[in-house]
Amino acid sequence: MNTILGLGFILFAGLLSAKLIKKIKLPAVTAYLLLGIFIGPSLLKLVPEGILGASGLISNIVLGIIAFGIGQNFSRYHLRRIGKTVVWISVLEACGAWILVTLIFYLILRQPFYLSLLFGAIASATAPAATVMVIREYRAKGNFTDTLLGVVAIDDAWCLIIFAISLAISQAIYAHNLEAFFLAKVFFSSLLSISGAFILGAFLAIVLSVFYRFVRTPTELLILTLGIVFLNIGIAIWLNLSVLLANMFLGAALVNLNRYSFKFFDSLKIIDSPLFLLFFVLAGASLEINILGKLSIIGLSYLIFRVVGKVIGASLGAKISNAATSVRKYLGFGLIPQAGVALGCALVAKSDFPQVGNMIFTTIVATTVIYELIGPLCTKYALRKAGDIIIH
Amino acid sequence: MQVKEIMSKEVIFVKRSTKLRELLEIFKDFHVFPLVPVLEENKRLVGIVSFRNLIDSLQSYHSDALKLVPFLDEEEQDIFKVDITDDLGDLVTVEDIMEHEYIAIQEDTSLNEVYNLMKLHLKEEFPVVDRAGRLTGRIGIFDILEAVFRQKGIIQ
């Protein structure tokens, strides 16, 4: 199969499988992942080499676009509105999963610290799409639903920051082992990676705002926005900065610099869906079924302790911010799904740590499929217990 | 030529507390549902309502937070089959459905620039505000065309 035929096949089969999975009320992301696993090199071998070879390119572009969108969370308007409950819960549930998974992997599973830290950081991500589907399906309404939506919308921003810090620390540990100036080096390289990404994102946001004055048609706006996002991704890769953070900062700076910034984000929505589809299918295709068996303990620990970390963190955040009892008890159960951001972080880890990359990535793909299947059930349970939906 | 020279100064507006039923009553005799500014007591513009927001009021859950959710599947809902009670008209207010992200034009903007903005954003009308953000009028594509035709001497 040639590359273009392969692309056509993936888009068509992706659309079809998403339509099918909607019948059992699951998000399209799950369909794309499962399709990828089936047609990937491990099973049916229907994905052409050309596309598999380009998966790095596609994932960097998609990660850049996702992170750019997440940056919108940092608009002054949005930050004013979200309130302390959402901030406390989202920060603590993300950190709860990060810390607990890292500790369990390091202390109990006896994995190297850099690897434990990477798994912990990826564990902080959440995928709001499945949660929102349940909220819509049961027409959930109320204080609990509002808080849950606020939390799932912003917590991927925290995840990107946690992941950037963890990645810098892991790289430093991996490269230097335990040298004398180790701590200073770790601190310096983290700082450089984060501040460099911030400066790059902010600078390109200014460039985008300036050039916006010369834009006359929606097509030109799309070309300009996509061009700047690509420049940002490319320069970040070239300078060894975090692609995820640089794009999140680009989005965050833009949303505060330009009154009409929503137009930039809206313009990308026209083209991002087929890219997202390809990204998830390719992520599924990269799952290595032959090493899945060896990962059962690691995968199971990740599955369980990520959820435990999130539930404890969310409950602690709700307690600190004096949220309602229902929020304290059940909000963590609405945060179970993981998808794009977790896979994206796993891909970055895979390319930066080739020796353990496949193990990280296969674990995250496999657990993503499981979380996407059980996540909606847990969200339904949480919403019902909180009294925001009535199921007859 | 500036916007304030040709804009319509009489604009129908609503408040955040206007009920959905009242909003529909105001517009039921009009040919189209226009872009409706939402004002606070001091006439400050805080949002707009368009026919898209009317569709939103029939959806199960609409929130600004949803715009920030990546990979969200579009909600396929048949508006002819929505199961809702008739008290929706009193329960839903403009505050619930209005858009916070909108484009407003300053009074001293040139017509050329407004026309470009209409092309860029695929819009046919904008609310006009003064420096303090208070609504002073509205400018539509026809106001601009009329000014051009007048300039060319086709109409007086």
Side-chain angles (χ1 to χ4, degrees):
Chain A
M1 199 187 291
N2 66 49
T3 310
I4 295 179
L5 180 60
L7 281 176
F9 167 68
I10 290 175
L11 288 179
F12 183 69
L15 183 67
L16 215 61
S17 56
K19 287 269 177 208
L20 277 177
I21 211 156
K22 224 170 220 174
K23 302 247 182 255
I24 49 167
K25 317 267 186 216
L26 286 175
V29 169
T30 318
Y32 303 153
L33 277 173
L34 288 172
L35 173 71
I37 295 172
F38 281 122
I39 64 173
S42 286
L43 291 173
L44 298 177
K45 302 184 178 61
L46 285 173
V47 184
E49 282 297 320
I51 299 180
L52 287 175
S55 64
L57 175 76
I58 293 168
S59 46
N60 267 323
I61 292 173
V62 169
L63 291 182
I65 294 176
I66 298 172
F68 178 61
I70 291 174
Q72 287 178 92
N73 277 296
F74 295 101
S75 75
R76 279 182 299 247
Y77 170 76
H78 190 70
L79 287 177
R80 262 205 311 271
R81 276 168 56 103
I82 57 174
K84 67 177 192 317
T85 306
V86 168
V87 174
W88 272 112
I89 294 177
S90 59
V91 169
L92 290 184
E93 55 89 2
C95 289
W98 177 33
I99 295 167
L100 191 68
V101 170
T102 304
L103 288 180
I104 295 284
F105 271 58
Y106 184 58
L107 298 175
I108 301 191
L109 300 180
R110 303 262 169 215
Q111 296 295 320
F113 186 67
Y114 76 92
L115 186 63
S116 310
L117 199 58
L118 289 173
F119 269 112
I122 297 170
S124 65
T126 314
T131 305
V132 175
M133 275 190 85
V134 178
I135 289 174
R136 279 175 173 172
E137 187 192 350
Y138 293 98
R139 305 182 80 83
K141 271 198 176 95
N143 181 30
F144 182 88
T145 309
D146 289 339
T147 312
L148 178 61
L149 262 181
V151 172
V152 290
I154 200 165
D155 82 340
D156 280 344
W158 309 143
C159 168
L160 292 190
I161 296 170
I162 289 174
F163 185 73
I165 296 170
S166 304
L167 189 70
I169 296 174
S170 296
Q171 280 167 334
I173 297 173
Y174 194 67
H176 306 297
N177 279 318
L178 285 165
E179 282 179 10
F181 296 110
F182 164 67
L183 272 178
K185 274 185 177 168
V186 167
F187 180 73
F188 187 69
S189 67
S190 315
L191 204 67
L192 200 70
S193 162
I194 294 169
S195 54
F198 179 77
I199 294 167
L200 174 64
F203 171 71
L204 283 176
I206 296 170
V207 174
L208 184 52
S209 276
V210 170
F211 273 87
Y212 172 68
R213 288 177 207 162
F214 304 106
V215 167
R216 292 284 174 266
T217 63
T219 323
E220 285 176 3
L221 183 67
L222 171 64
I223 296 172
L224 174 70
T225 312
L226 200 61
I228 292 284
V229 170
F230 281 10
L231 274 178
N232 200 33
I233 298 170
I235 297 174
I237 293 173
W238 179 43
L239 296 179
N240 256 333
L241 302 171
S242 158
V243 170
L244 292 163
L245 272 193
N247 280 283
M248 186 174 86
F249 287 138
L250 172 66
L254 192 65
V255 89
N256 289 300
L257 273 177
N258 194 305
R259 271 189 63 207
Y260 304 137
S261 61
F262 60 94
K263 288 288 167 190
F264 299 104
F265 299 99
D266 286 351
S267 73
L268 283 190
K269 280 188 186 148
I270 301 168
I271 54 146
D272 63 8
S273 308
L275 288 174
F276 288 166
L277 187 160
L278 275 179
F279 169 75
F280 284 114
V281 171
L282 288 175
S286 313
L287 177 96
E288 292 183 27
I289 288 181
N290 54 349
I291 62 168
L292 213 52
K294 291 181 213 152
L295 296 174
S296 51
I297 298 293
I298 285 190
L300 207 62
S301 309
Y302 180 88
L303 269 178
I304 294 167
F305 290 103
R306 175 175 166 273
V307 175
V308 174
K310 284 203 173 277
V311 171
I312 294 174
S315 168
L316 200 65
K319 201 171 175 181
I320 293 174
S321 58
N322 279 326
T325 319
S326 61
V327 173
R328 185 161 52 81
K329 277 186 172 165
Y330 305 114
L331 198 112
F333 294 101
L335 305 172
I336 287 172
Q338 72 179 20
V341 176
L343 289 168
C345 293
L347 271 176
V348 174
K350 184 180 172 182
S351 68
D352 285 7
F353 299 92
Q355 284 168 318
V356 289
N358 282 346
M359 165 200 171
I360 298 177
F361 195 69
T362 295
T363 310
I364 299 302
V365 176
T367 51
T368 298
V369 173
I370 298 170
Y371 280 138
E372 288 283 305
L373 295 175
I374 58 168
L377 297 174
C378 298
T379 306
K380 194 166 93 182
Y381 165 81
L383 287 168
R384 199 176 56 199
K385 281 285 184 186
D388 275 13
I389 53 174
I390 299 150
I391 297 173
H392 301 291
Chain B
M1 202 182 269
Q2 294 185 337
V3 166
K4 63 181 166 206
E5 296 168 49
I6 64 155
M7 69 183 187
S8 325
K9 289 188 176 132
E10 279 181 25
V11 186
I12 301 171
F13 61 88
V14 292
K15 291 190 239 160
R16 288 177 195 262
S17 56
T18 305
K19 290 173 181 162
L20 178 64
R21 195 188 303 280
E22 294 165 351
L23 181 73
L24 294 171
E25 285 293 336
I26 299 173
F27 293 103
K28 79 176 185 209
D29 296 329
F30 285 69
H31 283 298
V32 287
F33 185 89
L35 184 141
V36 187
V38 184
L39 303 188
E40 283 190 329
E41 295 300 327
N42 55 6
K43 291 206 85 181
R44 208 171 67 81
L45 180 65
V46 287
I48 54 159
V49 181
S50 73
F51 74 92
R52 291 203 172 278
N53 308 116
L54 293 180
I55 299 175
D56 282 348
S57 68
L58 295 169
Q59 310 272 348
S60 52
Y61 198 96
H62 44 87
S63 153
D64 278 356
L66 290 187
K67 286 188 182 162
L68 303 175
V69 174
F71 331 114
L72 187 59
D73 301 343
E74 276 171 36
E75 189 171 22
E76 274 180 30
Q77 202 165 38
D78 188 344
I79 57 164
F80 299 102
K81 290 182 187 160
V82 184
D83 182 25
I84 42 169
T85 49
D86 56 2
D87 55 2
L88 185 86
D90 297 313
L91 289 176
V92 173
T93 61
V94 162
E95 165 97 70
D96 301 323
I97 56 171
M98 71 181 196
E99 261 174 71
H100 299 93
E101 291 178 332
Y102 55 87
I103 293 164
I105 303 291
Q106 294 289 331
E107 291 173 306
D108 54 1
T109 314
S110 73
L111 291 192
N112 209 337
E113 198 177 326
V114 177
Y115 183 65
N116 283 335
L117 282 170
M118 285 176 176
K119 272 197 302 181
L120 174 58
H121 299 295
L122 304 174
K123 291 268 160 22
E124 279 158 14
E125 63 176 327
F126 290 125
V128 182
V129 292
D130 63 12
R131 291 274 163 213
R134 286 184 298 249
L135 185 85
T136 53
R138 59 167 281 276
I139 179 109
I141 185 96
F142 185 66
D143 298 318
I144 297 176
L145 290 177
E146 203 186 328
V148 173
F149 283 124
R150 184 164 291 130
Q151 220 171 25
K152 306 276 179 208
I154 296 170
I155 49 171
Q156 292 303 312

